[in-house]
Amino acid sequence: MAVSSASEINEYISQVIALEREPIDELETDKATLSRQNSALQEIDTSLETLQSKLNALTNKNVFLSKSASTTDSNVATASAGTNAVQTTYQVQVVQLAQVAKITSSQTLGLAEGTYAVLQSGEEINASGGSSVTANPNVTFASGTAAVGFDMDKTVVSGTFKVNGQLISVTGSDTIFTVLSKINSASAGVTATFDDENDKIVLTTSSTGPDQTIELTEDNAGFFDAVKLTETNGNPAPVFTDGTNAGMYTTLDDTALVSGSAKMVDGYFTINNITFSIDTSSDSLYSVINRINNSKADVSVYYDEITDKITFSSKTTGEDIYFQNDTSNFLKTLNVLDSGTDLDGTTGESHYQGTSAQVIINGETLTRDGNSFSIGGTTFTLRSTGTANVSVIQDNQSAITAVKGFVDQFNNTMSLIDSKMRTTLKNDRTLMNLKRQLQQKI
């Protein structure tokens, strides 16, 4: 065949390409169909798995044997019933709750409170105005040096600075107060205030202790210079005061606990037959408390910095606390040995008693070490003294919920299969057989 023009050549080539592409197009169509069918089968598989889980719930005997417990006064007692609980009504009278043994220092310990690190202006912000003139913290920096009350050579411009690594932005519309507010909101670990009585800025750390720092860096706004928190441009150095640890964190030798007639010394003491050693030159009250709390003495110790007293309590209700062999004077100095509530009359030995729960159930008086206990498959939790009725009945709702959940899911699965058989998986014999088998088994 003769080819007479370029257009005929292009048409011929297009026909050849189209012819060659037909198998590829068919494969692309088949691929898309298979992808839709695969997605449909995955959706059915997920529905079947859910149906299986609903069926498994029906095979759990607890669904049909579960019991529920209710109380007429949950402030007195609450209850929960197991599957083997006896169906009945309990008349409960709580006479006494179980309590831990506890003893608190009869006197304060004289431990110092921790102090915060403080950084303040080296001199008055308006030093040139004399002691009778202070800066005005409410005037914007754009109003000028005189209006704010800075020394004549001090100016704050738009820029930034850092406090403990936290970036603070400053603009001409800011004031001393707004900048201090920005510092306080910046998570820098400091509180910034304006001391109008002394005409100074005061920065205080959020935590106590000698390791606290206040670092001021990268000030291109001139704020630190203007408020005398830096010694640049002729300012005197700002005044920094170290923080100190609270008394419970310092070594015992550095506290009031090693002075007086009952001062602590190196030695030992025993709590519930567990012996602890004391070294006043290396131990702090905090370290000793931790050793006790982490020991097998079954005692919890807590120091209250507000009341300056220490409390020992048993970790288990009904259990007692025994103090003995205090060669270190640790227990004596803390005012917990030989106190007025001590049940042991022997000097140097103390016994503090926990109380057991006393409850009358259906006329029978019971004593229990704790406030939670079980009777006849029902667990009672005592809340306060008083009376209440606890009723245990068959819990039909769990069975109803389980059966309804299965029926609903079965219907959903059947509907899904029908839908896919009408569309993506039309006349699929595998699905037809699956549907028929499920219907027959159910």
Side-chain angles (χ1 to χ4, degrees):
M1 176 179 71
V3 178
S4 61
S5 68
S7 62
E8 290 179 342
I9 294 175
N10 289 337
E11 182 180 357
Y12 175 73
I13 293 175
S14 298
Q15 290 174 353
V16 171
I17 292 175
L19 185 64
E20 295 293 332
R21 184 166 179 79
E22 283 182 3
I24 298 176
D25 291 340
E26 290 177 1
L27 288 174
E28 296 264 348
T29 301
D30 291 343
K31 178 181 178 182
T33 301
L34 289 173
S35 178
R36 289 194 297 271
Q37 291 175 342
N38 183 58
S39 297
L41 289 171
Q42 288 180 344
E43 189 175 351
I44 292 173
D45 182 64
T46 299
S47 183
L48 289 171
E49 289 180 354
T50 303
L51 181 62
Q52 180 68 57
S53 67
K54 299 295 183 181
L55 179 60
N56 290 341
L58 293 179
T59 65
N60 184 352
K61 68 177 182 179
N62 292 339
V63 170
F64 299 95
L65 299 179
S66 61
K67 310 292 194 309
S68 65
S70 60
T71 176
T72 57
D73 192 341
S74 59
N75 292 323
V76 173
T78 57
S80 61
T83 56
N84 62 339
V86 178
Q87 297 183 54
T88 186
T89 297
Y90 297 94
Q91 295 175 335
V92 180
Q93 179 183 354
V94 182
V95 180
Q96 175 179 281
L97 291 176
Q99 295 181 340
V100 297
K102 182 183 291 187
I103 176 63
T104 300
S105 308
S106 58
Q107 300 175 14
T108 58
L109 304 184
L111 295 179
E113 295 183 1
T115 61
Y116 303 90
V118 176
L119 178 69
Q120 59 180 320
S121 306
E123 65 177 358
E124 292 183 46
I125 295 175
N126 192 335
S128 60
S131 59
S132 61
V133 180
T134 61
N136 189 336
N138 293 300
V139 175
T140 62
F141 299 137
S143 300
T145 295
V148 182
F150 292 141
D151 285 349
M152 293 304 296
D153 60 336
K154 308 299 182 185
T155 303
V156 177
V157 298
S158 295
T160 59
F161 61 81
K162 289 184 178 180
V163 179
N164 286 344
Q166 297 296 312
L167 187 67
I168 311 296
S169 297
V170 180
T171 68
S173 61
D174 275 321
T175 68
I176 291 177
F177 270 160
T178 61
V179 172
L180 298 185
S181 179
K182 290 180 180 181
I183 294 174
N184 293 335
S185 303
S187 301
V190 300
T191 299
T193 57
F194 174 64
D195 180 0
D196 57 355
E197 182 177 352
N198 295 301
D199 193 28
K200 294 182 178 181
I201 299 298
V202 180
L203 303 181
T204 306
T205 58
S206 301
S207 301
T208 62
D211 57 342
Q212 299 300 308
T213 59
I214 302 176
E215 186 177 29
L216 310 180
T217 57
E218 301 179 26
D219 179 20
N220 57 42
F223 181 76
F224 296 150
D225 179 35
V227 298
K228 313 294 180 68
L229 285 174
T230 176
E231 57 183 327
T232 58
N233 299 330
N235 291 335
V239 180
F240 181 77
T241 305
D242 273 321
T244 60
N245 281 327
M248 72 172 299
Y249 299 105
T250 59
T251 57
L252 295 172
D253 273 346
D254 295 323
T255 68
L257 299 175
V258 295
S259 61
S261 58
K263 65 180 180 181
M264 289 186 191
V265 296
D266 295 346
Y268 304 88
F269 63 91
T270 300
I271 302 178
N272 291 344
N273 294 321
I274 303 297
T275 299
F276 303 90
S277 63
I278 292 291
D279 184 336
T280 59
S281 64
S282 60
D283 280 327
S284 65
L285 182 60
Y286 177 78
S287 67
V288 179
I289 287 176
N290 273 346
R291 288 208 299 274
I292 297 173
N293 288 337
N294 294 324
S295 73
K296 296 182 179 180
D298 200 28
V299 169
S300 178
V301 188
Y302 171 72
Y303 172 71
D304 186 339
E305 295 184 39
I306 304 300
T307 63
D308 191 32
K309 292 184 177 182
I310 196 168
T311 297
F312 292 76
S313 60
S314 56
K315 292 182 179 179
T316 307
T317 55
E319 295 297 321
D320 296 353
I321 299 176
Y322 294 90
F323 292 147
Q324 293 175 311
N325 308 322
D326 187 17
T327 65
S328 64
N329 284 336
F330 180 82
L331 301 172
K332 186 175 182 180
T333 305
L334 298 182
N335 305 305
V336 295
L337 192 66
D338 299 329
S339 72
T341 57
D342 181 8
L343 299 179
D344 192 323
T346 305
T347 301
E349 297 184 7
S350 291
H351 173 203
Y352 302 101
Q353 190 174 42
T355 59
S356 300
Q358 293 184 13
V359 59
I360 301 174
I361 297 183
N362 291 347
E364 181 180 357
T365 301
L366 305 177
T367 300
R368 296 290 186 269
D369 287 337
N371 292 313
S372 183
F373 54 89
S374 296
I375 297 177
T378 298
T379 300
F380 296 83
T381 300
L382 308 183
R383 303 293 185 185
S384 66
T385 58
T387 59
N389 289 338
V390 173
S391 298
V392 181
I393 62 174
Q394 184 74 36
D395 181 12
N396 294 326
Q397 187 56 49
S398 59
I400 292 172
T401 300
V403 172
K404 185 178 185 301
F406 174 76
V407 172
D408 289 345
Q409 184 58 38
F410 178 80
N411 291 334
N412 290 339
T413 302
M414 291 296 101
S415 296
L416 179 62
I417 292 175
D418 287 339
S419 172
K420 299 305 180 183
M421 287 174 60
R422 290 193 301 269
T423 56
T424 311
L425 300 169
K426 191 173 183 178
N427 299 325
D428 187 290
R429 290 191 174 276
T430 301
L431 282 185
M432 291 180 184
N433 292 334
L434 174 63
K435 179 181 178 181
R436 183 169 57 253
Q437 290 177 17
L438 284 174
Q439 290 173 327
Q440 290 173 349
K441 291 182 181 297
I442 297 304

